[in-house]
Amino acid sequence: GVRCPTTASKQRVYRAPYTLGAHPVCPSRDGRRPGSPFSAMRLALLVSYDGTPYRGWTDLRDVALRPALARVLGCPESDLQPGQQPSLPLLEAASRTDAGVHAAGQVCTLSLDDAVPPDRRSRLDTARLAYSLNALLPPEVCVRCAALVADGFDVRSNVGKQYTYRLSTASTRDPLRRLHEWHAPPRRGRPGWDAAAVASTAAAMLGTHSFAAFGNRPRGGERSVEVDPVCTLSELRLSQGGLSEASSAGRWAFTVRGDRFLYKMVRNLVGSLVKVGYGEMEGGELLEALADGRFRRGESVPITAPPHGLVLDSVEYAAGEDPFSSSSAGLN
């Protein structure tokens, strides 16, 4: 079954499989029994979700997770005044996924000092809490692990993330996969899919570079914030995916791993590489854009891959900081 990591290593990573509905639960990070009191503590959740019905992480957080947490952690109805609603706990996430993007290993935290009355903190049981949350959450959202962490833990202090982008180049679409892969068939009269060209171009983009050409300007109040465009890609790999030889035909997966990502960077990389795969761009154009900070055909990315093919696989933390690196826990 699915298990959380058990032994210490140089870098701890929990890689949840992309199978929504399983409910493993981790004990507290320091090895104490669930429910052991902390003078100040936070609750960390490892969450999987199908992002199809949501307008991004913020929508999913406010529509699904925060109300469920308020019911599980908040005051009983008998303690509320007429017309009073339970306060919704504040949740911080490692990655603010866009509308339609999915996650197998999103990490989020909240302060229990604000969300749980003092007389109830010592009785908190992470196993029961995760079970209760999953009973309340909609079927497309699942808490895979719950763990207690020190109050100083910062969920955004991660050292990297890994994504998978699923693509179909088959001539006909698969209706059963339409919500989780991008169907990009070959155009009539144009060259067919060239996986070798994609793989060689992707390999040349590994390492530390300014990815300014592949990042979109942030939205809202963050548009005026200056963002460092330098990122390190440790993996950008195209592989053929499918459970059998028949199902693998025309089905591909991009694995993208790095220390940080610009806004829409993964989808822009995939969209550009698909252009290379179909001969609509030369691989050298992507490498020139990487060096120049812009595409010579214009300042914007040629194509941004649609969101529904993208999955946040895992969030990586430095040794000793992974909330889910304690003792193993099996499936419920």
Side-chain angles (χ1 to χ4, degrees):
V2 179
R3 293 186 179 274
C4 293
T6 58
T7 58
S9 66
K10 193 170 184 180
Q11 181 170 285
R12 304 302 309 176
V13 184
Y14 177 68
R15 302 188 188 284
Y18 188 50
T19 306
L20 301 178
H23 306 159
V25 178
C26 294
S28 62
R29 176 180 167 186
D30 69 347
R32 302 183 190 186
R33 293 170 59 87
S36 57
F38 281 70
S39 58
M41 57 184 174
R42 299 182 70 82
L43 177 69
L45 303 175
L46 184 72
V47 185
S48 293
Y49 49 83
D50 183 328
T52 303
Y54 298 100
R55 294 172 295 178
W57 159 252
T58 303
D59 185 36
L60 183 146
R61 177 197 66 189
D62 294 343
V63 171
L65 280 170
R66 292 180 72 191
L69 280 163
R71 289 189 59 183
V72 173
L73 299 175
C75 299
E77 292 184 7
S78 58
D79 293 348
L80 297 177
Q81 299 298 321
Q84 181 182 359
Q85 298 294 325
S87 60
L88 298 181
L90 296 177
L91 272 176
E92 296 179 324
S95 177
R96 290 176 292 179
T97 51
D98 284 337
V101 174
H102 317 292
Q106 172 73 280
V107 180
C108 57
T109 62
L110 72 151
S111 172
L112 294 179
D113 297 324
D114 298 330
V116 180
D119 62 323
R120 296 179 187 169
R121 291 175 201 158
S122 63
R123 303 196 303 269
L124 185 66
D125 183 325
T126 54
R128 292 183 61 184
L129 183 143
Y131 180 87
S132 299
L133 286 174
N134 286 321
L136 294 171
L137 289 169
E140 68 273 4
V141 183
C142 170
V143 173
R144 305 185 70 87
C145 280
L148 297 177
V149 295
D151 191 56
F153 174 75
D154 182 1
V155 72
R156 306 202 73 178
S157 65
N158 58 83
V159 297
K161 302 183 185 77
Q162 178 172 303
Y163 293 88
T164 295
Y165 194 98
R166 290 176 171 83
L167 169 75
S168 171
T169 58
S171 57
T172 57
R173 63 182 180 274
D174 185 344
L176 301 182
R177 299 175 184 266
R178 72 190 188 282
L179 301 179
H180 301 99
E181 71 177 13
W182 176 23
H183 179 230
R187 299 183 182 181
R188 287 186 177 181
R190 300 299 298 270
W193 176 251
D194 187 349
V198 174
S200 62
T201 303
M205 302 181 78
L206 294 176
T208 302
H209 310 279
S210 169
F211 284 87
F214 297 91
N216 286 25
R217 185 180 293 275
R219 296 173 297 182
E222 297 184 358
R223 289 182 64 88
S224 59
V225 178
E226 197 70 27
V227 178
D228 181 5
V230 176
C231 309
T232 299
L233 281 188
S234 56
E235 188 171 6
L236 180 55
R237 176 171 52 88
L238 176 69
S239 58
Q240 195 158 14
L243 299 178
S244 65
E245 184 176 346
S247 63
S248 293
R251 185 152 288 116
W252 305 88
F254 287 92
T255 302
V256 189
R257 185 183 180 196
D259 64 339
R260 56 190 297 270
F261 295 92
L262 306 179
Y263 180 50
K264 292 190 179 180
M265 175 175 153
V266 175
R267 290 165 55 196
N268 289 336
L269 284 170
V270 171
S272 300
L273 287 169
V274 168
K275 286 276 191 179
V276 172
Y278 278 126
E280 298 175 19
M281 290 184 67
E282 295 293 332
E285 291 185 64
L286 270 64
L287 301 182
E288 288 179 16
L290 193 64
D292 299 341
R294 59 188 292 273
F295 284 88
R296 66 186 183 192
R297 302 184 185 187
E299 295 188 359
S300 61
V301 177
I303 183 171
T304 300
H308 62 274
L310 185 61
V311 179
L312 170 63
D313 289 327
S314 62
V315 181
E316 304 174 5
Y317 292 90
E321 296 184 7
D322 189 335
F324 309 106
S325 63
S326 298
S327 303
S328 62
L331 289 171
N332 283 348

